[in-house]
Amino acid sequence: MERRTVVYDAESGDEHERQGTVWTATSHIAAAVVGSGVLALAWTVAQLGWVVGPLVLLGFSCVTYYTSALLADCYRYPDPVEGAVNREYIDAVRCYLGRKSVVLCGCAQYVNLWGTLVGYTITASTSMIAVKRVNCFHRNGGVGGDCNPSGSTYMVVFGLFQLLLSQLPSLHNIAWLSVVAVATSFGYSFISLGLCAAKWASHGDVRGTLAGAAIDVPREKAFNVLLALGNIAFSYTFADVLIEIQDTLRAPPAENKTMKRASFYGLGMTTVFYLLLGCTGYAAFGNDAPGNILTGYAFYEPFWLVDIANICVIVHLIGAYQVFAQPIFARLESCVACRWPDAKFINATYYVRLPWPRSSPAAATTTVAVAPLKLVLRTILIMFTTLVAMLLPFFNAVLGLIGALGFWPLSVYFPVSMHVARLKIRRGEARWWLLQAMSFVCLLISVAASVGSVQDIVHNLKAAAPFKNSG
């Protein structure tokens, strides 16, 4: 007889049935972790070298798993097995650390979510450009023709498409798109691995050096190493959705035990894949590995396979964009509605009838709900996000900055702080010092990666600016 776990939310009066298992949670984790960050792994390993590169990937994996296990114990309060359920990350922070920490957590979480939208807009536009460029090179034989189009137009097209999807009531209306997004993310990841393996097999040499890419200016080498750390942090971060994934699990066994197993399996498989792709790409291209393995002039043939991979990237980001945008939409609309509860513009909903072919009397018309507040707020946010992406179209730098900003607070600081509060670990104990030391080292890594990302953005902006004193 199958046992079903039903959680009752007293605040909303909603019953929440959970049927998730360790394997469904593992798939959710893999889908959350494997994303556009994998396209920069070959370049990342190239900056760190054959020794440090794999070690850093393994180190981030171990830290992420350990802090994920700490966070899994905070799903219930105060007891990790019998306590009350926290449905969201910010709810767990409120229970264990108090309301003052909620502000910091909210800022870190929503800045990270919005930064991801900017990164997705940039990545989608570069993949669109790559499709046109690869076909242009194939058509012209590598000579002649305009094979380097501007990305601004493609960013606008991507933003307009997101405007349409954003007007749907919730993620439930685009659940099919999320399924397609997960499938395509694995599709372009495995195609990238296959292309790198074929490139490596074509010349048969293991390229690269123990110390990584050599640059004449030591300062630039240091900044590239810091940027590579940010890219790895971006590739492993999934703490901001861990509680939500755990909320899908049934019990028994206890949700925290199942989540720890799922984190181990998900991060283990992801780390093996990252090592394969990063090391294979580095062996294939050496210190000349491109920043984006699919769009950095790495592959032009077979052009159809490269096109399929880039189209998979675009489709994946179309769905993933809405997954990260919907929590921001909900928070903004909730804040505005609480601030002006009686405003007609905010609370009004209009129903528009759309005519369809009259195949049957019941399907003669379709009614669509239009809320002015949702239309205005979501349009402004997507337009602003697209504008920022157009001003900062730098793939590696933006991914590194997002990873640096989100890694320490969400993946390390809050899980460690909640763990200390849950077990009442006193200041000065050996465990307290070890946990704080780990957190401090991760903070230094995040700060250093942020510096490297910001420096790369500034450098690219200067390089892209017109020469005012030319001639």
Side-chain angles (χ1 to χ4, degrees), residues 367-383:
T367 302
V368 177
V370 178
L373 173 66
K374 182 171 71 174
L375 181 64
V376 172
L377 278 182
R378 299 186 179 192
T379 300
I380 291 174
L381 178 65
I382 293 175
M383 289 176 61

Side-chain angles (χ1 to χ4, degrees), residues 219 223 227 391-394 397-398 401 450-465:
R219 180 171 173 269
F223 280 126
L227 180 57
L391 295 174
L392 304 173
F394 313 121
V398 172
L401 185 59
S450 298
V451 171
S453 301
V454 171
Q455 189 276 338
D456 194 60
I457 291 174
V458 172
H459 173 76
N460 287 323
L461 286 174
K462 289 181 179 179

Side-chain angles (χ1 to χ4, degrees), residues 425-468:
I425 300 174
R426 289 178 295 181
R427 182 186 297 267
E429 292 184 15
R431 283 186 301 172
W432 186 88
W433 281 113
L434 289 174
L435 289 169
Q436 298 306 318
M438 182 189 70
S439 180
F440 182 70
V441 170
C442 292
L443 171 62
L444 292 180
I445 293 174
S446 288
V447 171
S450 298
V451 171
S453 301
V454 171
Q455 189 276 338
D456 194 60
I457 291 174
V458 172
H459 173 76
N460 287 323
L461 286 174
K462 289 181 179 179
F467 294 99
K468 296 182 180 180

Side-chain angles (χ1 to χ4, degrees), residues 34-36 181-182 184-185 188 311-321:
V34 177
S36 57
V182 171
T184 52
S185 69
Y188 67 73
I311 291 171
C312 285
V313 174
I314 297 166
V315 174
H316 167 232
L317 296 181
I318 286 174
Y321 187 104

Side-chain angles (χ1 to χ4, degrees), residues 208-407:
T209 59
L210 295 179
I215 300 177
D216 295 335
V217 182
R219 180 171 173 269
E220 293 184 6
K221 169 68 175 179
F223 280 126
N224 283 348
V225 169
L226 298 181
L227 180 57
L229 293 177
N231 285 342
I232 295 176
F234 178 82
S235 299
Y236 273 111
T237 300
F238 78 102
D240 49 351
V241 295
L242 185 145
I243 295 293
E244 285 78 359
I245 294 174
Q246 191 167 347
D247 194 47
T248 66
L249 299 176
R250 65 188 179 196
E255 300 94 346
N256 61 332
K257 293 182 179 180
T258 304
M259 194 64 197
K260 290 175 184 178
R261 288 178 57 201
S263 298
F264 179 79
Y265 296 150
L267 289 172
M269 290 188 297
T270 300
T271 301
V272 171
F273 181 74
Y274 281 1
L275 287 170
L276 281 174
L277 181 55
C279 293
T280 303
Y282 189 36
F285 294 97
N287 294 333
D288 296 325
N292 185 324
I293 203 68
L294 289 177
T295 64
Y297 299 92
F299 302 105
Y300 293 106
E301 298 292 342
F303 79 98
W304 57 270
L305 187 59
V306 180
D307 283 350
I308 290 175
N310 279 298
I311 291 171
C312 285
V313 174
I314 297 166
V315 174
H316 167 232
L317 296 181
I318 286 174
Y321 187 104
Q322 288 299 314
V323 172
F324 285 90
Q326 289 290 339
I328 304 178
F329 296 153
R331 180 62 60 181
L332 285 175
E333 291 161 11
S334 175
C335 290
V336 173
C338 291
R339 179 65 179 83
W340 295 283
D342 299 324
K344 183 178 180 181
F345 176 81
I346 293 173
N347 297 294
T349 301
Y350 300 94
Y351 295 91
V352 179
R353 291 186 175 182
L354 300 178
W356 296 105
R358 296 176 178 271
S359 57
S360 65
T365 59
T366 300
T367 302
V368 177
V370 178
L373 173 66
K374 182 171 71 174
L375 181 64
V376 172
L377 278 182
R378 299 186 179 192
T379 300
I380 291 174
L381 178 65
I382 293 175
M383 289 176 61
F384 178 68
T385 302
T386 305
L387 177 62
V388 172
M390 293 169 65
L391 295 174
L392 304 173
F394 313 121
F395 175 78
N396 286 84
V398 172
L399 290 191
L401 185 59
I402 296 169
L405 293 176
F407 175 70

